[in-house]
Amino acid sequence: MSAVRVVVYGAGGRMGRQILTLVPGDTEIRVVGAIDRADSTAVGGDAGVLVGRTPSGLVVSADTGAAPPDCDVVIDFTTRAIEKQMQRHL
């Protein structure tokens, strides 16, 4: 069975970071996208480093269209302010 491919919207926030912290310990889930708003300090950084782990190679992006089209699940921890922008890409 292949791992479930997850994209986290709001990756730099409290709950998004929690997901990024927990998922690497699970062999059945793999984060393939990390998105946050353009003014987030998380954008451009490595998702692993963001949560105090070793670099993961996954860069946090502000591009809401950066989510891989073949992801299985989108976890949305965003605010209403960017919800409409995200919906154009889901």
Side-chain angles (χ1 to χ4, degrees):
M1 179 179 180
S2 62
V4 175
R5 296 167 43 88
V6 175
V7 174
V8 179
Y9 280 84
R14 183 173 49 92
M15 296 305 294
R17 288 177 192 228
Q18 188 65 29
I19 295 295
L20 295 175
T21 300
L22 296 174
V23 168
D26 191 323
T27 59
E28 296 180 7
I29 301 172
R30 189 171 68 126
V31 177
V32 295
I35 316 292
D36 211 341
R37 63 183 197 276
D39 64 345
S40 171
T41 57
V43 170
D46 183 278
V49 173
L50 175 66
V51 296
R53 293 182 179 258
T54 59
S56 66
L58 178 65
V59 176
V60 179
S61 176
D63 179 3
T64 58
D70 60 345
C71 68
D72 300 307
V73 176
V74 172
I75 298 175
D76 179 7
F77 283 115
T78 61
T79 62
R80 287 286 284 168
I82 64 170
E83 183 177 328
K84 290 180 182 176
Q85 180 184 2
M86 284 181 22
Q87 287 176 348
R88 289 190 296 246
H89 299 285
L90 298 178

